Amino acid sequence: MKEIEIREIIKKMTVREKIMLCMGKNSWRTEDYPEYGIPFIRVSDGTNGIRFQKDSDKAPLPYFDSSLDVSFDSPEALERTVATTCYPSGSAMACSWDKELMQEMGARLANECKSMGINVLLGPGMNIRRHPLTARNFEYYSEDPCLCGDIAAALVNGVQSGHVGTSVKHFACHNSDNRRTRVNVIVDERALREIYLAGFERVVKKANPATIMTSYNQINGIEMNENSRILRDIVRDEWNYEGTIVCDWGSCKDIAESTKGGMDLQMPGSLMSAEKLEKDIAKGLVSEELLGERAYHVLKLIFKYAGHEDVENDQKANHELSVKAAAESAVLLKNEEDFLPLHAERTQKIAIIGRLAKEPLYVGSGCAIVRTEHAEIPYDEIARVCGNQAELLYAPAYEADGTTTEALLKEAEETAAAADVVLVFAGSYLPGESDMYNRTSMSIERGHEDAIRAAARANENTAVILMIGDVTVMPWADKVKSVLCMWYGGEGMGSAAAQLLFGRKNPCGKLAVTVPEKEEDTPAYLSFNQSPYEMFYGESIYVGYRYYDKKKIAPRFPFGHGLSYTTFAYDNLQVVSEDDEKVVVSVDITNTGSMEGREAVQCYVASGKGHMEKPVRELKGFEKVSLKPGETKSVSFVLEQRDFSSFDIRNNEWVTDTPDFMVEIAASSRDIRQSVAVKRPVTYKPFKKLAKNCGFHEMFENEVTKKMFFDFAVEHGLLPREMVSEKVKDQLEFTFWSVRSYMDMNAHGMVTMDQFDELLDEMNKALAE
Ligand code: BGC
């Protein structure tokens, strides 16, 4: 529908009708107005599959106590949840580094949504994974905004190509789940722009998501929904975002301030808020025009996404894709002596240790839980691959709650000792989705770790298969030959693991986050568990590998790391073309091993010394290539000026502050294979506005204001004209006082404060021209 037609409808609606249009009728649908031809849309979680509870889009019971049973993953809640396809968690999918796969998964999700009458899918979750203990990190992609933004953009493009809307969430800095609606993030502007907003900016520019979901937390003391500087000045004006801004469920704490701040759709609906806004509009505290703007954004969404053609949900194709996705995102972290793949025909007895082999952990919890009827069992899939070529032994090793006993460990040890090779299944569970939700430890479950140690003691031919939502510390990794991380790998994880372990598929996932040696090494270690009322992002832009690299801390496994059963050579990196806007480089990748494989090729930029401090290197692009043995393919990267820029807080703009950069092509952030020097135009500028307390060095950065100062000094008899020189300029710049204080102390009444203020005003006018 055209803008003018939508505006006509809004004109006809009463204030109350517009208010009710801009909030859910309940948690999962919007209001409809047949008299104006306005249909409703239905929304549903989640991030790695659809979570939709039967009849949840019907009106809720009007009793307070009916709200008390809020769990999403209790057995009763799951009973009501419709069975759908469960893909690997976001933390897994990002390890695929595969944009095409994300797009394909998006298209399948759209189809499944349509078959259920869902118009907007509430995902992807794409917060930066600042600290590994954040409980909901399993929903998110990466510690890096380029990987995060491009993976999310591919998914959004896939879903929206199927004419279903998306909701990129949780915007922004939602990096801790303890007291999540009270967290006040204290973050500096550069980190905000370069790290925490950058992924969202990428997805807005590359995929135009239908909605952006604001987060529960405050940023620097301001609630996200009320943050007009971020929502209006940055998202709307700088990024030109024209979609709908929806609040996270129950995150709107003041409807009047949120209306001013830039939130469009309040979810779920609230009669309390509706009444408050109606009164505030009547009193003139909030303008009806602002409500009209909200209604416009909500109607645009509704008219674009309401109503679908009937589609068939191809469950079999979905499941096949979930297997492919699980295999592509699995990361082979360690593989001593090429222990994997196993060869069933050369192996007589395989010990499968760990209850997770039969009761796999394949999905996260809370609103990202997905109920599937097709979850594969790793043990069964291994048995299928082995056929009658090998004998499988089994010991559970630990209880369902992750604890173990001496008897269970003894049995595991004996089983491992009796086998030729041992596969230990281990992982880490999530805490219940309460108000204190973060993980409390970076270790895998205690009983699982004991099981690994027991098996490794009994048999040196041991591999570990991990099912984790985010990284854990792995002190036990030195004791085993191989570690294969399957993450929360979704319903297809069982056969994906079996195929990878026995070489039917070649591992090709790479880490989307760093695996530290110990928790104390993590960038946010000192602030993560501080008070939620003031969570200080002291590491600034040094998040993830940017921190480990700068501090020269060796991680256990670096960002971008992942092994394969084949090997790849990188050659012939060259600058194909360069102009003021972009640089294009290409590099040849050859499969030098004997098995077909896929390689995630990474492109980093390392800056020369400029005006600003920089990370050692930053990811700016990536491509995944498939190669047969002996095959070579050329991969290119287009690097725009922005890829060489940093956010200059002095002038509030992106700048290139040095001409010198290296473009590095790498197999991981610590495995740079090829590099080439490039020159870029410098865009760093002198101060564009002088603050009241500016210093001489700021005033003299610009020739115009420098001249104005010396003319002023001469005019008021502070300096004779012949004394004006570079030497005096240097002397003034050497002082640490602000210009104002210096004049105050040394002008001896020859200049009044008003005259000085006028000079500053004149200077700022000249700078603005
Ligand atoms: C979560 C969102 C989710 C919404 C609806 C909120 O509590 O933070 O991620 O989409 O609930 O379930």
mmCIF file of all heavy atoms in Angstrom, residues 1 5-14 17-23 25 29-41 295-296 298-304 306-307:
data_model
loop_
_atom_site.group_PDB
_atom_site.id
_atom_site.type_symbol
_atom_site.label_atom_id
_atom_site.label_comp_id
_atom_site.label_asym_id
_atom_site.label_seq_id
_atom_site.Cartn_x
_atom_site.Cartn_y
_atom_site.Cartn_z
ATOM 1 N N MET A 1 0.848 -1.206 0.000
ATOM 2 C CA MET A 1 0.000 0.000 0.000
ATOM 3 C C MET A 1 0.877 1.248 0.000
ATOM 4 O O MET A 1 1.917 1.277 0.637
ATOM 5 C CB MET A 1 -0.901 -0.007 1.245
ATOM 6 C CG MET A 1 -1.886 1.135 1.252
ATOM 7 S SD MET A 1 -3.061 1.056 2.609
ATOM 8 C CE MET A 1 -4.162 -0.236 2.122
ATOM 9 N N GLU A 5 -1.929 6.417 0.951
ATOM 10 C CA GLU A 5 -3.149 5.677 1.343
ATOM 11 C C GLU A 5 -3.102 5.347 2.840
ATOM 12 O O GLU A 5 -4.109 5.441 3.547
ATOM 13 C CB GLU A 5 -3.249 4.386 0.534
ATOM 14 C CG GLU A 5 -3.488 4.647 -0.948
ATOM 15 C CD GLU A 5 -3.294 3.388 -1.795
ATOM 16 O OE1 GLU A 5 -2.266 2.698 -1.623
ATOM 17 O OE2 GLU A 5 -4.159 3.113 -2.620
ATOM 18 N N ILE A 6 -1.912 4.983 3.309
ATOM 19 C CA ILE A 6 -1.777 4.668 4.747
ATOM 20 C C ILE A 6 -2.058 5.933 5.562
ATOM 21 O O ILE A 6 -2.795 5.907 6.553
ATOM 22 C CB ILE A 6 -0.367 4.114 5.062
ATOM 23 C CG1 ILE A 6 -0.144 2.810 4.304
ATOM 24 C CG2 ILE A 6 -0.188 3.916 6.554
ATOM 25 C CD1 ILE A 6 1.201 2.144 4.553
ATOM 26 N N ARG A 7 -1.525 7.044 5.118
ATOM 27 C CA ARG A 7 -1.748 8.320 5.843
ATOM 28 C C ARG A 7 -3.233 8.674 5.863
ATOM 29 O O ARG A 7 -3.737 9.201 6.849
ATOM 30 C CB ARG A 7 -0.938 9.445 5.199
ATOM 31 C CG ARG A 7 0.566 9.181 5.192
ATOM 32 C CD ARG A 7 1.307 10.111 6.144
ATOM 33 N NE ARG A 7 2.745 9.838 6.087
ATOM 34 C CZ ARG A 7 3.500 9.537 7.130
ATOM 35 N NH1 ARG A 7 2.989 9.487 8.338
ATOM 36 N NH2 ARG A 7 4.790 9.295 6.994
ATOM 37 N N GLU A 8 -3.942 8.361 4.781
ATOM 38 C CA GLU A 8 -5.397 8.640 4.728
ATOM 39 C C GLU A 8 -6.135 7.830 5.795
ATOM 40 O O GLU A 8 -7.010 8.333 6.494
ATOM 41 C CB GLU A 8 -5.970 8.272 3.346
ATOM 42 C CG GLU A 8 -5.764 9.333 2.273
ATOM 43 C CD GLU A 8 -6.239 10.711 2.716
ATOM 44 O OE1 GLU A 8 -7.368 10.808 3.225
ATOM 45 O OE2 GLU A 8 -5.453 11.691 2.577
ATOM 46 N N ILE A 9 -5.747 6.556 5.921
ATOM 47 C CA ILE A 9 -6.407 5.699 6.929
ATOM 48 C C ILE A 9 -6.156 6.283 8.318
ATOM 49 O O ILE A 9 -7.064 6.399 9.142
ATOM 50 C CB ILE A 9 -5.875 4.250 6.848
ATOM 51 C CG1 ILE A 9 -6.223 3.632 5.511
ATOM 52 C CG2 ILE A 9 -6.424 3.405 7.997
ATOM 53 C CD1 ILE A 9 -5.680 2.222 5.304
ATOM 54 N N ILE A 10 -4.904 6.675 8.562
ATOM 55 C CA ILE A 10 -4.546 7.177 9.899
ATOM 56 C C ILE A 10 -5.381 8.418 10.231
ATOM 57 O O ILE A 10 -5.842 8.591 11.366
ATOM 58 C CB ILE A 10 -3.027 7.474 9.981
ATOM 59 C CG1 ILE A 10 -2.252 6.164 9.837
ATOM 60 C CG2 ILE A 10 -2.654 8.154 11.295
ATOM 61 C CD1 ILE A 10 -0.753 6.317 9.709
ATOM 62 N N LYS A 11 -5.586 9.244 9.237
ATOM 63 C CA LYS A 11 -6.384 10.466 9.469
ATOM 64 C C LYS A 11 -7.780 10.135 9.986
ATOM 65 O O LYS A 11 -8.358 10.859 10.781
ATOM 66 C CB LYS A 11 -6.510 11.242 8.149
ATOM 67 C CG LYS A 11 -5.457 12.311 7.988
ATOM 68 C CD LYS A 11 -5.847 13.224 6.845
ATOM 69 C CE LYS A 11 -4.587 13.600 6.082
ATOM 70 N NZ LYS A 11 -4.827 13.913 4.688
ATOM 71 N N LYS A 12 -8.324 9.015 9.505
ATOM 72 C CA LYS A 12 -9.702 8.653 9.885
ATOM 73 C C LYS A 12 -9.780 8.023 11.276
ATOM 74 O O LYS A 12 -10.855 7.934 11.858
ATOM 75 C CB LYS A 12 -10.261 7.642 8.871
ATOM 76 C CG LYS A 12 -10.524 8.250 7.511
ATOM 77 C CD LYS A 12 -11.199 7.206 6.620
ATOM 78 C CE LYS A 12 -10.879 7.505 5.160
ATOM 79 N NZ LYS A 12 -10.690 6.336 4.352
ATOM 80 N N MET A 13 -8.670 7.575 11.799
ATOM 81 C CA MET A 13 -8.724 6.818 13.061
ATOM 82 C C MET A 13 -8.743 7.748 14.274
ATOM 83 O O MET A 13 -8.120 8.810 14.268
ATOM 84 C CB MET A 13 -7.518 5.870 13.163
ATOM 85 C CG MET A 13 -7.511 4.815 12.101
ATOM 86 S SD MET A 13 -6.034 3.776 12.190
ATOM 87 C CE MET A 13 -6.542 2.591 13.436
ATOM 88 N N THR A 14 -9.421 7.308 15.337
ATOM 89 C CA THR A 14 -9.433 8.101 16.571
ATOM 90 C C THR A 14 -8.107 7.875 17.309
ATOM 91 O O THR A 14 -7.366 6.918 17.020
ATOM 92 C CB THR A 14 -10.569 7.653 17.512
ATOM 93 O OG1 THR A 14 -10.273 6.296 17.899
ATOM 94 C CG2 THR A 14 -11.942 7.720 16.830
ATOM 95 N N GLU A 17 -8.039 4.451 18.813
ATOM 96 C CA GLU A 17 -7.823 3.383 17.823
ATOM 97 C C GLU A 17 -6.349 3.306 17.416
ATOM 98 O O GLU A 17 -5.783 2.221 17.281
ATOM 99 C CB GLU A 17 -8.693 3.629 16.574
ATOM 100 C CG GLU A 17 -10.153 3.289 16.793
ATOM 101 C CD GLU A 17 -11.057 3.761 15.674
ATOM 102 O OE1 GLU A 17 -10.671 4.687 14.908
ATOM 103 O OE2 GLU A 17 -12.181 3.237 15.575
ATOM 104 N N LYS A 18 -5.749 4.473 17.259
ATOM 105 C CA LYS A 18 -4.331 4.461 16.872
ATOM 106 C C LYS A 18 -3.476 3.859 17.994
ATOM 107 O O LYS A 18 -2.542 3.102 17.743
ATOM 108 C CB LYS A 18 -3.859 5.894 16.554
ATOM 109 C CG LYS A 18 -4.303 6.365 15.178
ATOM 110 C CD LYS A 18 -3.744 7.724 14.825
ATOM 111 C CE LYS A 18 -4.606 8.813 15.367
ATOM 112 N NZ LYS A 18 -4.368 10.139 14.819
ATOM 113 N N ILE A 19 -3.833 4.241 19.225
ATOM 114 C CA ILE A 19 -3.070 3.689 20.365
ATOM 115 C C ILE A 19 -3.173 2.160 20.368
ATOM 116 O O ILE A 19 -2.173 1.457 20.522
ATOM 117 C CB ILE A 19 -3.579 4.275 21.701
ATOM 118 C CG1 ILE A 19 -3.200 5.747 21.795
ATOM 119 C CG2 ILE A 19 -3.015 3.499 22.888
ATOM 120 C CD1 ILE A 19 -3.724 6.465 23.019
ATOM 121 N N MET A 20 -4.388 1.649 20.177
ATOM 122 C CA MET A 20 -4.576 0.200 20.236
ATOM 123 C C MET A 20 -3.924 -0.511 19.036
ATOM 124 O O MET A 20 -3.510 -1.660 19.132
ATOM 125 C CB MET A 20 -6.066 -0.164 20.310
ATOM 126 C CG MET A 20 -6.786 0.392 21.529
ATOM 127 S SD MET A 20 -5.894 0.129 23.089
ATOM 128 C CE MET A 20 -6.200 -1.600 23.400
ATOM 129 N N LEU A 21 -3.826 0.216 17.918
ATOM 130 C CA LEU A 21 -3.151 -0.345 16.743
ATOM 131 C C LEU A 21 -1.648 -0.506 17.007
ATOM 132 O O LEU A 21 -1.005 -1.426 16.503
ATOM 133 C CB LEU A 21 -3.348 0.602 15.546
ATOM 134 C CG LEU A 21 -2.551 0.294 14.279
ATOM 135 C CD1 LEU A 21 -3.160 -0.912 13.566
ATOM 136 C CD2 LEU A 21 -2.522 1.492 13.341
ATOM 137 N N CYS A 22 -1.125 0.407 17.834
ATOM 138 C CA CYS A 22 0.327 0.419 18.080
ATOM 139 C C CYS A 22 0.726 -0.446 19.258
ATOM 140 O O CYS A 22 1.793 -0.232 19.857
ATOM 141 C CB CYS A 22 0.817 1.851 18.283
ATOM 142 S SG CYS A 22 0.679 2.809 16.803
ATOM 143 N N MET A 23 -0.119 -1.354 19.643
ATOM 144 C CA MET A 23 0.271 -2.350 20.664
ATOM 145 C C MET A 23 -0.388 -3.680 20.320
ATOM 146 O O MET A 23 -1.394 -3.721 19.604
ATOM 147 C CB MET A 23 -0.119 -1.890 22.061
ATOM 148 C CG MET A 23 -1.558 -1.556 22.259
ATOM 149 S SD MET A 23 -1.933 -1.167 23.989
ATOM 150 C CE MET A 23 -0.811 0.119 24.367
ATOM 151 N N LYS A 25 -2.607 -6.974 20.363
ATOM 152 C CA LYS A 25 -3.912 -7.302 20.940
ATOM 153 C C LYS A 25 -3.654 -8.233 22.116
ATOM 154 O O LYS A 25 -4.369 -8.247 23.090
ATOM 155 C CB LYS A 25 -4.772 -7.990 19.875
ATOM 156 C CG LYS A 25 -6.152 -8.333 20.356
ATOM 157 C CD LYS A 25 -7.057 -8.644 19.202
ATOM 158 C CE LYS A 25 -8.464 -8.907 19.722
ATOM 159 N NZ LYS A 25 -9.460 -8.707 18.698
ATOM 160 N N ARG A 29 -0.214 -11.155 18.456
ATOM 161 C CA ARG A 29 -0.841 -10.598 17.252
ATOM 162 C C ARG A 29 -1.169 -9.130 17.465
ATOM 163 O O ARG A 29 -1.221 -8.641 18.593
ATOM 164 C CB ARG A 29 -2.105 -11.363 16.861
ATOM 165 C CG ARG A 29 -3.156 -11.432 17.933
ATOM 166 C CD ARG A 29 -4.525 -11.762 17.370
ATOM 167 N NE ARG A 29 -5.107 -10.607 16.701
ATOM 168 C CZ ARG A 29 -6.351 -10.568 16.236
ATOM 169 N NH1 ARG A 29 -7.119 -11.633 16.316
ATOM 170 N NH2 ARG A 29 -6.824 -9.484 15.672
ATOM 171 N N THR A 30 -1.373 -8.452 16.342
ATOM 172 C CA THR A 30 -1.770 -7.044 16.435
ATOM 173 C C THR A 30 -3.289 -6.941 16.311
ATOM 174 O O THR A 30 -3.980 -7.914 15.998
ATOM 175 C CB THR A 30 -1.112 -6.222 15.314
ATOM 176 O OG1 THR A 30 -1.482 -6.787 14.063
ATOM 177 C CG2 THR A 30 0.405 -6.206 15.446
ATOM 178 N N GLU A 31 -3.793 -5.737 16.544
ATOM 179 C CA GLU A 31 -5.240 -5.476 16.460
ATOM 180 C C GLU A 31 -5.643 -5.373 14.982
ATOM 181 O O GLU A 31 -4.834 -4.926 14.160
ATOM 182 C CB GLU A 31 -5.498 -4.142 17.179
ATOM 183 C CG GLU A 31 -6.928 -3.766 17.361
ATOM 184 C CD GLU A 31 -7.702 -4.772 18.198
ATOM 185 O OE1 GLU A 31 -7.755 -4.650 19.432
ATOM 186 O OE2 GLU A 31 -8.293 -5.680 17.569
ATOM 187 N N ASP A 32 -6.866 -5.796 14.661
ATOM 188 C CA ASP A 32 -7.338 -5.564 13.285
ATOM 189 C C ASP A 32 -8.536 -4.614 13.308
ATOM 190 O O ASP A 32 -9.251 -4.532 14.302
ATOM 191 C CB ASP A 32 -7.696 -6.875 12.573
ATOM 192 C CG ASP A 32 -8.736 -7.675 13.313
ATOM 193 O OD1 ASP A 32 -8.796 -7.532 14.560
ATOM 194 O OD2 ASP A 32 -9.472 -8.448 12.694
ATOM 195 N N TYR A 33 -8.706 -3.867 12.228
ATOM 196 C CA TYR A 33 -9.822 -2.918 12.096
ATOM 197 C C TYR A 33 -10.457 -3.130 10.725
ATOM 198 O O TYR A 33 -10.130 -2.423 9.763
ATOM 199 C CB TYR A 33 -9.306 -1.476 12.206
ATOM 200 C CG TYR A 33 -8.809 -1.100 13.579
ATOM 201 C CD1 TYR A 33 -7.461 -1.246 13.909
ATOM 202 C CD2 TYR A 33 -9.687 -0.603 14.548
ATOM 203 C CE1 TYR A 33 -7.005 -0.910 15.170
ATOM 204 C CE2 TYR A 33 -9.220 -0.268 15.817
ATOM 205 C CZ TYR A 33 -7.879 -0.420 16.115
ATOM 206 O OH TYR A 33 -7.417 -0.093 17.359
ATOM 207 N N PRO A 34 -11.395 -4.105 10.647
ATOM 208 C CA PRO A 34 -11.997 -4.376 9.324
ATOM 209 C C PRO A 34 -12.626 -3.113 8.728
ATOM 210 O O PRO A 34 -12.603 -2.924 7.513
ATOM 211 C CB PRO A 34 -13.063 -5.425 9.636
ATOM 212 C CG PRO A 34 -12.681 -6.001 10.966
ATOM 213 C CD PRO A 34 -11.900 -4.982 11.697
ATOM 214 N N GLU A 35 -13.155 -2.220 9.609
ATOM 215 C CA GLU A 35 -13.812 -1.015 9.081
ATOM 216 C C GLU A 35 -12.860 -0.116 8.309
ATOM 217 O O GLU A 35 -13.264 0.676 7.462
ATOM 218 C CB GLU A 35 -14.525 -0.240 10.193
ATOM 219 C CG GLU A 35 -13.676 0.289 11.337
ATOM 220 C CD GLU A 35 -13.359 -0.719 12.453
ATOM 221 O OE1 GLU A 35 -13.188 -1.920 12.148
ATOM 222 O OE2 GLU A 35 -13.240 -0.306 13.617
ATOM 223 N N TYR A 36 -11.567 -0.218 8.599
ATOM 224 C CA TYR A 36 -10.573 0.569 7.829
ATOM 225 C C TYR A 36 -9.790 -0.331 6.860
ATOM 226 O O TYR A 36 -8.795 0.093 6.283
ATOM 227 C CB TYR A 36 -9.562 1.238 8.769
ATOM 228 C CG TYR A 36 -10.168 2.192 9.767
ATOM 229 C CD1 TYR A 36 -10.043 1.974 11.129
ATOM 230 C CD2 TYR A 36 -10.863 3.334 9.327
ATOM 231 C CE1 TYR A 36 -10.605 2.845 12.049
ATOM 232 C CE2 TYR A 36 -11.422 4.213 10.246
ATOM 233 C CZ TYR A 36 -11.291 3.963 11.605
ATOM 234 O OH TYR A 36 -11.836 4.822 12.498
ATOM 235 N N GLY A 37 -10.186 -1.580 6.772
ATOM 236 C CA GLY A 37 -9.460 -2.519 5.899
ATOM 237 C C GLY A 37 -8.101 -2.919 6.459
ATOM 238 O O GLY A 37 -7.193 -3.261 5.704
ATOM 239 N N ILE A 38 -7.959 -2.842 7.809
ATOM 240 C CA ILE A 38 -6.656 -3.197 8.420
ATOM 241 C C ILE A 38 -6.702 -4.628 8.950
ATOM 242 O O ILE A 38 -7.457 -4.913 9.889
ATOM 243 C CB ILE A 38 -6.310 -2.239 9.585
ATOM 244 C CG1 ILE A 38 -6.292 -0.784 9.098
ATOM 245 C CG2 ILE A 38 -4.967 -2.621 10.219
ATOM 246 C CD1 ILE A 38 -6.078 0.237 10.222
ATOM 247 N N PRO A 39 -5.905 -5.528 8.358
ATOM 248 C CA PRO A 39 -5.861 -6.897 8.895
ATOM 249 C C PRO A 39 -4.906 -6.960 10.099
ATOM 250 O O PRO A 39 -4.300 -5.951 10.445
ATOM 251 C CB PRO A 39 -5.285 -7.693 7.725
ATOM 252 C CG PRO A 39 -4.467 -6.703 6.950
ATOM 253 C CD PRO A 39 -5.026 -5.320 7.215
ATOM 254 N N PHE A 40 -4.766 -8.123 10.695
ATOM 255 C CA PHE A 40 -3.781 -8.237 11.788
ATOM 256 C C PHE A 40 -2.603 -9.076 11.310
ATOM 257 O O PHE A 40 -2.691 -9.779 10.299
ATOM 258 C CB PHE A 40 -4.416 -8.853 13.039
ATOM 259 C CG PHE A 40 -4.746 -10.313 12.922
ATOM 260 C CD1 PHE A 40 -3.809 -11.283 13.263
ATOM 261 C CD2 PHE A 40 -5.998 -10.729 12.480
ATOM 262 C CE1 PHE A 40 -4.100 -12.632 13.152
ATOM 263 C CE2 PHE A 40 -6.306 -12.078 12.364
ATOM 264 C CZ PHE A 40 -5.362 -13.022 12.699
ATOM 265 N N ILE A 41 -1.498 -8.974 12.033
ATOM 266 C CA ILE A 41 -0.385 -9.897 11.763
ATOM 267 C C ILE A 41 -0.081 -10.687 13.031
ATOM 268 O O ILE A 41 -0.299 -10.214 14.140
ATOM 269 C CB ILE A 41 0.901 -9.196 11.268
ATOM 270 C CG1 ILE A 41 1.312 -8.041 12.198
ATOM 271 C CG2 ILE A 41 0.770 -8.738 9.843
ATOM 272 C CD1 ILE A 41 2.687 -7.515 11.921
ATOM 273 N N ALA A 295 1.832 4.901 14.218
ATOM 274 C CA ALA A 295 0.790 4.165 13.493
ATOM 275 C C ALA A 295 1.222 3.927 12.043
ATOM 276 O O ALA A 295 0.993 2.847 11.478
ATOM 277 C CB ALA A 295 -0.517 4.949 13.537
ATOM 278 N N TYR A 296 1.899 4.911 11.472
ATOM 279 C CA TYR A 296 2.347 4.768 10.086
ATOM 280 C C TYR A 296 3.331 3.594 9.966
ATOM 281 O O TYR A 296 3.194 2.733 9.090
ATOM 282 C CB TYR A 296 2.995 6.079 9.614
ATOM 283 C CG TYR A 296 3.629 5.960 8.262
ATOM 284 C CD1 TYR A 296 2.849 5.728 7.130
ATOM 285 C CD2 TYR A 296 5.020 6.029 8.114
ATOM 286 C CE1 TYR A 296 3.425 5.577 5.883
ATOM 287 C CE2 TYR A 296 5.605 5.881 6.866
ATOM 288 C CZ TYR A 296 4.813 5.652 5.756
ATOM 289 O OH TYR A 296 5.390 5.495 4.528
ATOM 290 N N VAL A 298 3.640 1.046 11.973
ATOM 291 C CA VAL A 298 2.978 -0.228 12.278
ATOM 292 C C VAL A 298 2.134 -0.664 11.074
ATOM 293 O O VAL A 298 2.152 -1.835 10.664
ATOM 294 C CB VAL A 298 2.114 -0.104 13.559
ATOM 295 C CG1 VAL A 298 1.262 -1.345 13.762
ATOM 296 C CG2 VAL A 298 3.010 0.135 14.777
ATOM 297 N N LEU A 299 1.429 0.287 10.477
ATOM 298 C CA LEU A 299 0.582 -0.083 9.333
ATOM 299 C C LEU A 299 1.412 -0.527 8.130
ATOM 300 O O LEU A 299 1.014 -1.437 7.404
ATOM 301 C CB LEU A 299 -0.308 1.099 8.933
ATOM 302 C CG LEU A 299 -1.557 1.281 9.812
ATOM 303 C CD1 LEU A 299 -2.393 2.447 9.302
ATOM 304 C CD2 LEU A 299 -2.407 0.013 9.851
ATOM 305 N N LYS A 300 2.546 0.121 7.957
ATOM 306 C CA LYS A 300 3.424 -0.301 6.846
ATOM 307 C C LYS A 300 3.783 -1.777 6.996
ATOM 308 O O LYS A 300 3.759 -2.553 6.057
ATOM 309 C CB LYS A 300 4.716 0.529 6.879
ATOM 310 C CG LYS A 300 4.825 1.462 5.704
ATOM 311 C CD LYS A 300 5.976 2.407 5.812
ATOM 312 C CE LYS A 300 7.311 1.767 5.613
ATOM 313 N NZ LYS A 300 8.399 2.757 5.469
ATOM 314 N N LEU A 301 4.105 -2.147 8.251
ATOM 315 C CA LEU A 301 4.470 -3.538 8.542
ATOM 316 C C LEU A 301 3.281 -4.468 8.271
ATOM 317 O O LEU A 301 3.408 -5.510 7.621
ATOM 318 C CB LEU A 301 4.908 -3.640 10.007
ATOM 319 C CG LEU A 301 5.268 -5.031 10.511
ATOM 320 C CD1 LEU A 301 6.640 -5.450 9.984
ATOM 321 C CD2 LEU A 301 5.297 -5.082 12.044
ATOM 322 N N ILE A 302 2.130 -4.053 8.792
ATOM 323 C CA ILE A 302 0.939 -4.912 8.658
ATOM 324 C C ILE A 302 0.589 -5.101 7.176
ATOM 325 O O ILE A 302 0.393 -6.224 6.708
ATOM 326 C CB ILE A 302 -0.251 -4.305 9.433
ATOM 327 C CG1 ILE A 302 0.036 -4.365 10.935
ATOM 328 C CG2 ILE A 302 -1.549 -5.022 9.086
ATOM 329 C CD1 ILE A 302 -1.030 -3.751 11.817
ATOM 330 N N PHE A 303 0.536 -3.999 6.435
ATOM 331 C CA PHE A 303 0.129 -4.136 5.031
ATOM 332 C C PHE A 303 1.156 -4.905 4.212
ATOM 333 O O PHE A 303 0.814 -5.570 3.262
ATOM 334 C CB PHE A 303 -0.158 -2.766 4.409
ATOM 335 C CG PHE A 303 -1.478 -2.199 4.873
ATOM 336 C CD1 PHE A 303 -1.551 -0.936 5.463
ATOM 337 C CD2 PHE A 303 -2.642 -2.937 4.745
ATOM 338 C CE1 PHE A 303 -2.768 -0.422 5.912
ATOM 339 C CE2 PHE A 303 -3.863 -2.438 5.188
ATOM 340 C CZ PHE A 303 -3.926 -1.179 5.775
ATOM 341 N N LYS A 304 2.411 -4.796 4.608
ATOM 342 C CA LYS A 304 3.422 -5.517 3.827
ATOM 343 C C LYS A 304 3.385 -7.025 4.107
ATOM 344 O O LYS A 304 3.589 -7.830 3.206
ATOM 345 C CB LYS A 304 4.808 -4.953 4.149
ATOM 346 C CG LYS A 304 5.914 -5.629 3.403
ATOM 347 C CD LYS A 304 7.039 -4.706 3.062
ATOM 348 C CE LYS A 304 8.028 -5.450 2.168
ATOM 349 N NZ LYS A 304 9.348 -4.936 2.229
ATOM 350 N N ALA A 306 0.871 -8.932 6.124
ATOM 351 C CA ALA A 306 -0.347 -9.676 6.468
ATOM 352 C C ALA A 306 -0.762 -10.583 5.311
ATOM 353 O O ALA A 306 -0.519 -10.258 4.152
ATOM 354 C CB ALA A 306 -1.470 -8.700 6.784
ATOM 355 N N GLY A 307 -1.388 -11.706 5.678
ATOM 356 C CA GLY A 307 -1.965 -12.596 4.668
ATOM 357 C C GLY A 307 -0.909 -13.335 3.871
ATOM 358 O O GLY A 307 0.108 -12.780 3.497
#
